[in-house]
Amino acid sequence: MVQSASDVVTEVDFQLEVWGEPCPYPVVATLDALKQMQSGETLEVVTDCLQSINNIPTDAKRHGHQVLEVEQQGPQVRVVIRKA
Amino acid sequence: MRRPAWPTCLLSLAFSMGENVVSWQAFKQAYLIRFWSPVPAVIAAGVLSAIFFGLTGGLWAVTGEFTRWGGHLAQLFGAHPENWTYFQIIGLKGTPLDRAGGMMLIGMFGGALAAALWANNVSIRLPQHKRRIAQAVIGGALAGFGARLAMGCNLAAFFTGIPQFSLHAWIFALATAVGTYLGAKLTLLPMFRVPLKLTKGGAKRNIAQDKQKASNRFRLGMVIFGLMAIWGVVTLLDSPKLGIALLFGMGFGLLIERAQICFTSAFRDMWITGRTQMAIAIVLGMAVSALATFSYIELGLTQKVMWAGPNVVIGGVLFGIGIVLAGGCETGWMYRAMEGQVHFWWVGLGTILGALGLAAMWDSVATPLATSWPKVNLLESLGPWGGLGMTFALLGLSLLAILWWEKRFFARQRQEN
């Protein structure tokens, strides 16, 4: 489920956790967090809102950022994004 | 991330069996555990709902039955809703087990639960903020009230209503678009926001799942799926309509959970983040469904056409605000509730109460808002081919409007940056 092995990072610059929140808050929080970061920095979003798998990666890309990793493990989703 | 287009699942299964290398593990991982791509899944839901209409003459619909559940709830408290006019219209006989609508809901809940268990997606997730509970109940109630005022939710007044060539569904779609826009503005107000939990980085979080637990959950999901399927088939022998409703309900439940089909996001996310993927998928799903439904109608099945009055405009706007505030529509809260997202249990309760509230006050609003208005059937007013052509023209126009909005959204965003 990992997008591309060469893009996978083990360390990230920022981490965002969103627990128990319904849509659209996880994706809104992600885009807000990216706004606070510098270009080139990486963000790891971890959430238990499964729907996020349909929106965080798509929206991050559409807003110009690079999605490095998408992973779903049971009820948790991880998305790693590099800010454009 | 590439996800499989799910209809290819049967194909690839057939191929791999042909080569005699069918690997259960690979199949399970690719089609039962990974989420399905939403676009083909929505189209599949359109096809399935048209076939359901062809087999039973009924619609894939849910809120009418939830209103009846509200009626049963009121009966428990000693009220006599069976005498209310609204329940004279939609009926309140027997228990959910005696009604196609009830079996459909049970099938959907069971199918969604089985699908969620397969992928170990079930986990009790409590709301972290009190304001979310209020949001869930009020949003659910607005959605339930609005849906029943309009005589249908995102299904009977939209996804399965537009393919019935009932003008009321088009009015509802427009009103819902307006309502979700207002809902999006409301939902992003500071009073509904919580502080970001953003921390300076380090090593990535460990989200690995307990393998033993995951495989136990998978088995439990299979048992539920198997038992329900047997129940469906047995019922089929005795009462075809109820059995078909249960089995198709399971299919719809599987689809909405496995592909996380969210009608709310289709509208809301156009306004909030400019994402149009789900909205486009739904338009395509309705186009396929409309064509298939048309063929059944031409063969003689009776359409379901509803009043096109102010009830649909008011109901659609309230429904739109409600689903965005709640975070899910009538189908959306069902699969999320099965995944253990407690927030959506509250939404469900709100929906049932809202729908019951509308049923209780129906007499005072029915004549001016709904029943004195015509039931406009596009296939009658414009002739069969004219109505079909008009429906496709409107679907095409919707597609263009969605693409125009997306372009405008990102053009504005670039200007701001």
Side-chain angles (χ1 to χ4, degrees), chain B residues 129-255:
Chain B
H129 309 278
K130 282 207 182 75
R131 70 190 90 170
R132 293 282 182 259
I133 298 177
Q135 230 177 308
V137 177
I138 296 170
L142 279 175
F145 184 92
R148 290 329 297 171
L149 181 61
M151 304 303 288
C153 64
N154 50 302
L155 297 179
F158 179 55
F159 190 70
T160 53
I162 284 177
Q164 287 290 327
F165 307 96
S166 175
L167 179 65
H168 96 290
W170 280 107
I171 303 172
F172 186 78
L174 270 182
T176 302
V178 173
T180 52
Y181 184 82
L182 301 175
K185 295 277 172 222
L186 180 68
T187 310
L188 293 184
L189 289 179
M191 62 183 286
F192 293 119
R193 306 296 298 274
V194 296
L196 280 188
K197 272 201 215 157
L198 185 65
T199 50
K200 256 310 199 195
K204 286 194 298 186
R205 298 271 191 274
N206 178 18
I207 62 166
Q209 46 183 337
D210 179 342
K211 289 224 160 62
Q212 189 57 46
K213 186 174 158 194
S215 91
N216 288 343
R217 290 281 171 89
F218 182 84
R219 279 192 208 107
L220 181 61
M222 276 294 169
V223 169
I224 292 175
F225 185 78
L227 288 176
M228 294 209 46
I230 293 170
W231 182 21
V233 172
V234 170
T235 311
L236 202 60
L237 302 175
D238 195 39
S239 165
K241 216 171 176 175
L242 293 180
I244 291 171
L246 186 77
L247 292 171
F248 271 73
M250 284 173 70
F252 291 129
L254 281 186
L255 274 177

Side-chain angles (χ1 to χ4, degrees), chain A residues 9-10 12-13 15 17 21 25 32 44 48 51 54-55 59 62-63 69 72-76 78, chain B residues 3 120-121 125 132 135 187 193 199 201-205 209 260 273 275 335-336 406 410 413:
Chain A
V9 290
T10 48
V12 290
D13 298 310
Q15 289 172 316
E17 292 186 11
E21 286 274 278
Y25 299 108
D32 280 355
E44 179 195 43
D48 58 5
Q51 185 76 51
N54 279 346
N55 55 38
D59 281 337
R62 199 68 181 81
H63 286 247
E69 190 184 332
Q72 184 221 336
Q73 289 286 343
Q76 295 184 21
R78 178 214 314 281
Chain B
R3 277 185 280 157
N120 190 22
N121 287 345
R125 282 155 268 190
R132 293 282 182 259
Q135 230 177 308
T187 310
R193 306 296 298 274
T199 50
K204 286 194 298 186
R205 298 271 191 274
Q209 46 183 337
Q260 302 276 303
T273 67
R275 181 160 25 82
Y335 74 79
R336 291 183 177 92
E406 186 186 22
F410 285 100
Q413 195 119 51

